[in-house]
Amino acid sequence: MKRRTFTLSAAGAALAGWHGLGQAQGWPERPIKLVLSQPSGSGPDAMARMITEPLSRKWGQGIVIENRPGGQNAIGAQAAARAPADGYTFYFATAAALVTNAYLFKNLPYDPKRDFVPVGMIGKVPFALCVNASSPLKTLQDFIAAAKANPGRLAVANEGPKTFSGMMTRLLSSQLGIQVNSVPYVSVGAAVTDTVGGQTEAIISDVPSVAQMVKAGRLRPLAVTTAKRVAGWESVPPIADVLPNFDYAGWVGIVAPVGTPAAAIQRFNRDLDAVLLDKEMAARLLAIGPITEGAGTSEQMGAFLQAEHTRWAALTRDIGILPE
C-alpha cells in the first residue's frame, strides 16, 4: 500500500474539519454513536462499554453502542463508513475490519483504506497456542517435533481459514515447516471445549478466550504470538524464541468516517488516551482482552495501519490465501 493512503485520508479529514470547526468547538453537543461489528455481550462489546462509561462522564453526553454484527465485520464497517461525517458517529474497529478483510475478500461494501480516518488505538490482543492439560506436549519444541513425526495428523482448532487464528495456524505451519490438521470452528467457545475434551490436540486462540481454562488447569499454553511475553503469562515463551521476528496480535481501535471534523477527532483522541492510561482501566481491559499503552496519536495510528497493511499483504501472499 502506498504510504500516502492514510496520510491523505487524515489530511482530507483535517480540511473538512476547518469547515466544521465552529460546530466542533463545543463538541460534543449531543449523544455520540459508536458502531460495533460484533454482537452485544461479545468481548469487543464489553471493551467498548467499559471505555465509553468514563468518556460519557467527561463529555456530559450519552454514547450509544450500535451493534451491527455479521458479514465478517462488513455490515458494521459499512454502516460506520456511510454515516454522516459530523463528529457524532465513530467505529470501534478490529484488525479484521480495517486490514485483513482487504486481503481476504474481493468485494467489500466499504474501503478499509479510504473510508475512515484514525482516531486512536485501544490495545493489542495476543493469541496463544495451547494444548489439553493432559497432553504429553509440554513445550513448543515438543509440538513441533510431534507435528514433524506425524505430518497432517496433529489437529489444531481455530475459528476458520480467514480468521486471525486460522491464519496464524497456517503461518506457523509454513514458517516451522510442519503440517497440521487445521480444524475450523464456528465459534472460539466450541473450539476451546473440544480441545479441553481432547477432540483436538491443540488450539490457537486469543488469550482472553482461553485464559479461564488455563487458570483452571484444563489447558496448557505453549507459546504466545507476540514477540514479548504477555502480562500474567510471563512463564509462557513467545513463538519468536523459535521464529525470530514472529510478532502478531489482534487489535482494536477507534476510527471515524472520512471528513469528520478534526477538532472532534482530536478531542476524542485526547480523552481516550487519558482513559486508557488510567491504571485501573488498563487492568480492567487486560482482564478481558487488550493490552493498552494509551491511544497514541491519530497520526501514530495511521502509521500503524500502513505497516499492518504491508505486513498482512505479504503474509497472505506467503501462505497462499487469495481474496474470494
Side-chain angles (χ1 to χ4, degrees):
M1 185 185 71
K2 294 182 180 180
R3 185 171 179 79
R4 66 189 181 193
T5 301
F6 283 101
T7 304
L8 288 174
S9 294
L15 288 172
W18 286 108
H19 298 289
L21 194 56
Q23 284 183 309
Q25 290 289 353
W27 183 93
E29 297 175 330
R30 63 178 190 268
I32 292 163
K33 180 168 65 178
L34 183 63
V35 179
L36 269 74
S37 294
Q38 296 77 30
S40 178
S42 64
D45 181 76
M47 297 175 207
R49 294 179 190 280
M50 192 176 291
I51 64 172
T52 54
E53 288 178 9
L55 287 174
S56 180
R57 290 195 298 270
K58 277 178 177 286
W59 297 336
Q61 294 289 348
I63 302 177
V64 179
I65 304 293
E66 182 175 293
N67 301 96
R68 299 290 294 271
Q72 297 282 359
N73 292 274
I75 294 175
Q78 180 184 23
R82 294 184 177 179
D86 57 4
Y88 289 90
T89 298
F90 293 84
Y91 181 43
F92 187 96
T94 62
L98 291 188
V99 178
T100 62
N101 274 1
Y103 307 99
L104 302 178
F105 301 98
K106 285 183 179 179
N107 298 305
L108 288 172
Y110 68 100
D111 189 327
K113 299 179 183 179
R114 299 185 183 277
D115 285 349
F116 301 104
V117 61
V119 176
M121 287 292 292
I122 294 172
K124 296 182 179 180
V125 183
F127 278 59
L129 170 66
C130 300
V131 295
N132 186 291
S134 61
S135 170
L137 308 179
K138 307 293 184 184
T139 65
L140 177 58
Q141 289 80 358
D142 290 343
F143 177 86
I144 296 168
K148 288 185 175 180
N150 302 279
R153 294 185 61 185
L154 202 64
V156 180
N158 56 70
E159 293 180 86
K162 292 192 174 185
T163 65
F164 191 98
S165 59
M167 287 189 284
M168 285 298 99
T169 303
R170 292 183 64 171
L171 180 63
L172 196 58
S173 298
S174 174
Q175 294 198 2
L176 289 172
I178 61 176
Q179 296 178 31
V180 300
N181 177 18
S182 180
V183 183
Y185 282 81
V186 295
S187 72
V188 66
V192 170
T193 298
D194 272 11
T195 306
V196 169
Q199 281 77 27
T200 55
E201 282 84 8
I203 182 173
I204 292 182
S205 168
D206 62 287
V207 165
S209 293
V210 293
Q212 183 176 355
M213 288 300 176
V214 169
K215 186 176 181 180
R218 307 287 298 279
L219 289 176
R220 178 188 304 123
L222 301 184
V224 293
T225 61
T226 48
K228 296 180 180 179
R229 297 191 180 222
V230 175
W233 288 41
E234 286 83 2
S235 64
V236 182
I239 292 170
D241 283 0
V242 173
L243 293 173
N245 301 318
F246 194 99
D247 184 16
Y248 292 92
W251 49 262
V252 287
I254 303 291
V255 296
V258 165
T260 296
I265 291 171
Q266 291 164 4
R267 175 76 188 276
F268 198 137
N269 172 270
R270 184 189 72 196
D271 292 343
L272 176 64
D273 189 54
V275 166
L276 296 176
L277 289 176
D278 177 79
K279 290 183 178 179
E280 182 180 345
M281 175 59 71
R284 289 176 63 197
L285 284 170
L286 181 60
I288 63 170
I291 299 169
T292 185
E293 296 179 347
T297 64
S298 58
E299 293 79 10
Q300 286 171 334
M301 185 178 180
F304 171 77
L305 290 171
Q306 291 173 16
E308 284 289 276
H309 272 279
T310 299
R311 206 157 66 117
W312 282 93
L315 183 155
T316 51
R317 182 180 63 247
D318 291 346
I319 62 179
I321 294 180
L322 298 175
E324 297 177 356

